[in-house]
Amino acid sequence: KAEERAPVAVRLKALESLSWLADLQGDLERAEVVAEEGLALSAEAGIGGSVAASLRGILADVAETRGDYERAERLYEDSLELYREAGDRRGIAWILGGLGNLSNDRSDYGRAKELYEEGLALSRELGGAEPYGLFLNSLGHVYLLDGDHERAMALTEEAVALLRRQGRRGGLEYALDNLGWAALLRGDHELSETLHEESLMLCRELGDRLIASESLEGLACSAGVRGEAKRAARLFGAAEALREMVGYQQVPREGALREPYLKAAHASIEESAWEEAWQLGREMTFEDAVYYAVKHNDGR
């Protein structure tokens, strides 16, 4: 029996890794199919614990990204219970982050802060465990949406520095993107562009289309500020197409950050020119959008 369980456990771990990778790359359908396969195998073999908790956490993240918050909450809570039964404190920290993100998406920002703070404290207890930098970044993101750009900048700068020291690539693209938005909203457009370009290049390396769409919009805002309305429209169009490809539902407060920049750029050129540029952006591939955003300079 033990001999049979060993290869099953190895296969389960492989399915977990594959599902996480697909989720990170925005391939929600594949992430879901693989995670469900893993859970079926887990139930059949009677193997629960942290791997089963992790697979539920992936499914929760997929549901959250699609905007199915009720399903996401159920799955996160199931995952948290399994991690607690297994005594896996690192896993508990990860799920606290997921629940914090879910609260953020539901506009319950006070609860999101509480969960991020709890996760941050637990990560600190674990001795600089992996989620620590990500919690700093998530907390910074809430302050960014709150309009406290100074606090957002401080937390996110700390997150970027920590993730760089740890040599972590996954997660760094998100922190760079958030720091770029904090710089943009403080009026430091040059720094914002540098950060969003770095985030985009890392997104390309990791296959992260979701954060890439955020960084493309950051660069679109900067282009609009410089008076490059056609470039702004093209980048906004590319970002919209990537979001649709991933299936991400942008929360209202995130959209509100972009709206003034988008409206100003849109109003500065003819409607036909704006629509044409927007459509060109929508038709670009992920690779082409990154190349255009980073290499194309319209006189810069």
Side-chain angles (χ1 to χ4, degrees):
K1 188 76 174 181
E3 290 80 3
E4 291 174 8
R5 286 168 64 90
V8 171
V10 170
R11 187 171 166 220
L12 267 176
K13 198 67 185 169
L15 288 170
E16 179 201 12
S17 299
L18 183 59
S19 187
W20 269 122
L21 180 61
D23 188 33
L24 174 65
Q25 293 180 339
D27 189 346
L28 301 186
E29 187 174 342
R30 181 155 177 73
E32 185 174 44
V33 167
V34 175
E36 292 284 11
E37 182 185 347
L39 282 176
L41 181 62
S42 167
E44 183 184 329
I47 299 173
S50 293
V51 174
S54 177
L55 290 165
R56 281 176 172 79
I58 296 165
L59 288 173
D61 190 63
V62 169
E64 181 188 346
T65 302
R66 286 175 170 159
D68 189 348
Y69 298 149
E70 288 186 12
R71 174 172 162 78
E73 184 174 23
R74 286 196 304 273
L75 286 162
Y76 276 135
E77 293 292 353
D78 287 348
S79 178
L80 187 61
E81 186 178 344
L82 285 171
Y83 274 130
R84 283 179 171 151
E85 287 173 3
D88 186 338
R89 298 176 77 213
R90 181 182 292 249
I92 291 168
W94 279 113
I95 296 302
L96 287 171
L99 285 166
N101 294 340
L102 183 60
S103 294
N104 190 32
D105 287 349
R106 284 173 151 172
S107 304
D108 188 350
Y109 305 114
R111 180 65 178 148
K113 282 180 187 174
E114 287 174 9
L115 287 160
Y116 290 147
E117 292 282 10
E118 187 181 348
L120 196 62
L122 178 54
S123 298
R124 193 181 292 119
E125 285 174 22
L126 292 170
E130 230 174 317
Y132 186 73
L134 303 181
F135 276 115
L136 285 170
N137 182 50
S138 295
L139 200 53
H141 183 62
V142 177
Y143 279 105
L144 181 71
L145 297 178
D146 270 350
D148 189 342
H149 305 149
E150 296 299 324
R151 179 77 173 134
M153 198 97 182
L155 285 162
T156 315
E157 279 177 339
E158 188 180 350
V160 167
L162 179 60
L163 291 167
R164 287 196 198 279
R165 282 200 306 275
Q166 291 176 336
R168 280 182 54 82
R169 308 295 278 167
L172 178 58
E173 80 281 21
Y174 181 29
L176 289 166
D177 174 67
N178 279 343
L179 193 55
W181 279 100
L184 175 73
L185 295 167
R186 290 178 65 201
D188 192 340
H189 301 296
E190 189 174 340
L191 176 60
S192 175
E193 286 182 275
T194 298
L195 290 162
H196 280 141
E197 286 177 2
E198 185 181 354
S199 172
L200 264 184
M201 294 305 290
L202 192 49
C203 285
R204 178 179 176 274
E205 178 187 323
L206 296 168
D208 188 339
R209 288 165 170 75
L210 174 55
I211 299 303
S213 72
E214 301 287 298
S215 292
L216 284 169
E217 285 199 325
L219 288 168
C221 292
S222 294
V225 169
R226 285 199 312 276
E228 297 174 7
K230 286 184 181 179
R231 174 173 165 78
R234 196 162 174 178
L235 290 169
F236 276 124
E240 179 184 71
L242 276 182
R243 261 200 315 277
E244 289 173 4
M245 186 187 303
V246 172
Y248 177 64
Q249 302 293 316
Q250 195 176 65
V251 300
R253 288 212 306 183
E254 287 179 336
L257 295 182
R258 293 114 169 99
E259 198 61 26
Y261 298 94
L262 190 153
K263 282 185 174 176
H266 193 170
S268 69
I269 61 171
E270 294 289 334
E271 182 65 25
S272 58
W274 178 268
E275 289 295 335
E276 182 183 1
W278 188 286
Q279 189 57 36
L280 282 171
R282 284 188 55 84
E283 291 169 2
M284 285 195 289
T285 65
F286 178 35
E287 292 278 338
D288 287 345
V290 172
Y291 181 82
Y292 177 81
V294 175
K295 302 296 184 187
H296 184 77
N297 59 33
D298 276 11
R300 271 175 63 196

